[in-house]
Amino acid sequence: MIVATAGHIDHGKTQLIKALTGINTDRLPEEKKRGMSIDLGFAYKDLGNGITIGFVDVPGHARFINNMLAGVAGIDFSLLVIAADDGPMPQTLEHLAILDFLEINRGAVVISKVDKVNTERTEEVKEVTKSLLKGTRFEKVPLFQVASILNLGVKNLLKYIEDEAEKTIKKEASGNFRLAIDRSFSLKGSGVVVTGSVFSGCASVGDEFILSPKGKKVRIRAIHSQNKVSKKTFTGERCALNITGTGINANSISRGDWILSNYINYSSIRMDADIRVMTDKVKPLKHWTPAHIHLGTAKVTCRIAILQNKMLQPGGKGFVQLVLNKPISCFYGDHFILRDVSAETTIAGGIIIDPFSLAKGRCKQGRISRLIVMTEKSSEEVISKLLLQNPNGINLNNFTKTRNLTLQEI
């Protein structure tokens, strides 16, 4: 099970991970000097029964929220951390909205630093927090009180996380292999290593894939999955891949790149999606609004073309076409976050419907009707209904790639 922290700066996320695992995830000298997380940190806890919990510590500062978005890609469970002395703060609200947009509904709320305040203040923060959670996917998750430095309440929280990990059903390794890269580096004696979350499929030592969107061939030399040497890695796992290939080095790989199966090696600059606008956004979201899209570990500037009514009200939902300034790899069902052009505010979240979108006729009723059909999860249902709408047939190659179907699934 992959667990990510969320919450405002200096609310005790890194200290909490250290209390739970014994590992300090602040690995960069600047992080240790400044006492705050800038980049992603990782820790693992082996339960000794074949189950490993992977912890991702994400930054809380507004300037580093891009790294936070990379950290929550592909997680199963989140710890929303709120300091008892501060209470809910701006990044608390934004991180909660992001978790909601990404449909992460498993987790716990941690009231941290309870040793710094009296009982009355702790109870006050608990009540404010419960009110804040109403109407979100975290409305019914349990709440824990913790003082990480004194190790108070940590045991109860860890027991809950371990119980949830044991109840986690291993994700079916369906679809072609996809790994969203969040880090790359060179290791003496091994070569290039990339780390990330496996979004679909499985991979084995010796398999050949594509580094996307650069289109370079790579071969897996070794795998560390859940912090252990392994011959394979599967959907839902965090792993490190030791890769080799012509022209491949750590500097040629960026956060936001993917390791993909050859069959699904494509990228797109135009995709149709279904989005929901932030409820506390003061102004309506207008047609052709510039924004940043965060999908997987990628961050790309784009324009939001609203397909119906030309604007969406705060809290409203609707179909849009995202027109990107550079290509990314995406598939049906991928969740994403939209932030404003200054990268300071989250404005919406959504799900990809069709990465093979058309520039012309995007607002026609026939296209909208097809998008409604394509939102369904069942590929069999979708293809049947699309054939009824399109007597001249559909592009099967695009359809199977959009749905990330393997040859057997096709």
Side-chain angles (χ1 to χ4, degrees):
M1 182 173 79
I2 307 300
V3 179
T5 60
H8 197 76
I9 181 176
D10 198 30
H11 274 206
K13 299 184 294 298
T14 302
Q15 191 64 45
L16 177 63
I17 297 283
K18 186 177 180 181
L20 291 169
T21 67
I23 298 171
N24 184 357
T25 58
D26 277 349
R27 57 186 177 83
L28 299 178
E30 188 180 356
E31 291 177 325
K32 294 181 178 181
K33 179 181 177 181
R34 297 171 63 179
M36 65 188 236
S37 296
I38 298 171
D39 210 336
L40 305 176
F42 305 97
Y44 293 88
K45 189 171 186 64
D46 190 344
L47 302 189
N49 54 0
I51 298 174
T52 300
I53 304 173
F55 290 88
V56 184
D57 183 24
V58 301
H61 195 285
R63 287 169 54 200
F64 306 129
I65 200 164
N66 296 330
N67 291 343
M68 180 268 176
L69 285 162
V72 297
I75 72 166
D76 305 297
F77 188 99
S78 182
L79 298 172
L80 180 63
V81 183
I82 303 172
D85 50 355
D86 282 346
M89 297 289 281
Q91 264 67 62
T92 309
L93 302 177
E94 188 165 15
H95 285 202
L96 178 60
I98 289 169
L99 295 174
D100 214 37
F101 284 138
L102 297 178
E103 298 186 4
I104 298 167
N105 50 22
R106 298 181 62 203
V109 175
V110 180
I111 306 299
S112 63
K113 303 185 180 184
V114 295
D115 54 316
K116 292 191 173 185
V117 298
N118 56 33
T119 304
E120 289 76 13
R121 173 57 181 169
T122 301
E123 291 301 314
E124 178 185 347
V125 172
K126 283 171 62 177
E127 291 306 311
V128 172
T129 299
K130 289 177 182 177
S131 176
L132 183 71
L133 298 175
K134 286 183 179 179
T136 73
R137 295 176 184 274
F138 263 44
E139 183 172 5
K140 295 183 179 180
V141 303
L143 189 149
F144 294 85
Q145 299 174 204
V146 168
S148 300
I149 294 178
L150 301 179
N151 209 35
L152 297 176
V154 174
K155 186 176 180 180
N156 289 339
L157 174 60
L158 181 58
K159 177 65 167 59
Y160 177 71
I161 296 171
E162 290 176 346
D163 288 345
E164 286 297 302
E166 291 179 354
K167 290 189 292 186
T168 299
I169 300 173
K170 191 174 182 66
K171 294 178 181 177
E172 183 183 355
S174 61
N176 300 280
F177 184 71
R178 301 173 65 206
L179 178 129
I181 297 173
D182 52 45
R183 282 197 294 170
S184 65
F185 52 92
S186 293
L187 201 59
K188 189 175 181 179
S190 297
V192 179
V193 175
V194 297
T195 68
S197 299
V198 182
F199 273 50
S200 64
C202 63
S204 303
V205 173
D207 284 350
E208 293 186 348
F209 295 112
I210 297 292
L211 173 65
S212 178
K214 297 176 174 67
K216 295 183 177 180
K217 294 182 179 180
V218 299
R219 180 175 60 84
I220 297 179
R221 298 176 60 187
I223 297 173
H224 258 70
S225 182
Q226 308 295 84
N227 211 36
K228 296 178 181 178
V229 176
S230 177
K231 292 183 179 180
K232 287 191 173 187
T233 185
F234 297 89
T235 303
E237 294 182 342
R238 274 204 60 81
C239 70
L241 304 180
N242 178 200
I243 61 174
T244 184
T246 303
I248 296 297
N249 57 67
N251 294 328
S252 68
I253 302 172
S254 310
R255 175 177 291 172
D257 289 348
W258 293 80
I259 301 292
L260 297 177
S261 294
N262 293 350
Y263 175 67
I264 54 171
N265 175 34
Y266 77 89
S267 55
S268 174
I269 61 168
R270 194 181 298 273
M271 56 209 65
D272 291 328
D274 191 9
I275 71 167
R276 176 164 57 90
V277 182
M278 286 277 285
T279 54
D280 60 350
K281 186 175 174 4
V282 178
K283 297 180 181 179
L285 181 63
K286 295 182 179 180
H287 178 70
W288 212 239
T289 295
H292 288 87
I293 178 173
H294 297 260
L295 191 153
T297 55
K299 172 193 171 186
V300 179
T301 54
C302 69
R303 291 278 183 170
I304 306 169
I306 298 173
L307 302 187
Q308 296 169 291
N309 303 324
K310 299 304 178 183
M311 71 170 58
L312 290 172
Q313 298 297 328
K317 294 183 64 178
F319 292 126
V320 300
Q321 184 178 99
L322 304 172
V323 183
L324 280 57
N325 291 327
K326 71 176 185 178
I328 63 171
S329 172
C330 64
F331 298 83
Y332 164 81
D334 283 352
H335 290 86
F336 61 87
I337 300 296
L338 293 170
R339 306 194 80 220
D340 68 2
V341 70
S342 62
E344 293 182 351
T345 306
T346 299
I347 57 177
I351 187 169
I352 297 295
I353 300 174
D354 184 7
F356 290 102
S357 187
L358 303 174
K360 295 182 179 180
R362 62 189 175 198
C363 297
K364 290 183 178 179
Q365 186 55 46
R367 179 60 182 167
I368 301 300
S369 298
R370 286 193 289 277
L371 288 178
I372 293 171
V373 169
M374 294 171 73
T375 58
E376 296 188 26
K377 291 184 178 181
S378 168
S379 294
E380 292 89 342
E381 286 291 326
V382 172
I383 200 168
S384 296
K385 291 180 179 179
L386 285 179
L387 287 170
L388 290 175
Q389 288 187 356
N390 299 272
N392 292 326
I394 62 172
N395 187 320
L396 189 60
N397 183 53
N398 284 2
F399 179 84
T400 54
K401 285 185 177 181
T402 295
R403 293 265 161 171
N404 187 17
L405 301 178
T406 64
L407 186 60
Q408 183 178 1
E409 290 166 343
I410 292 169

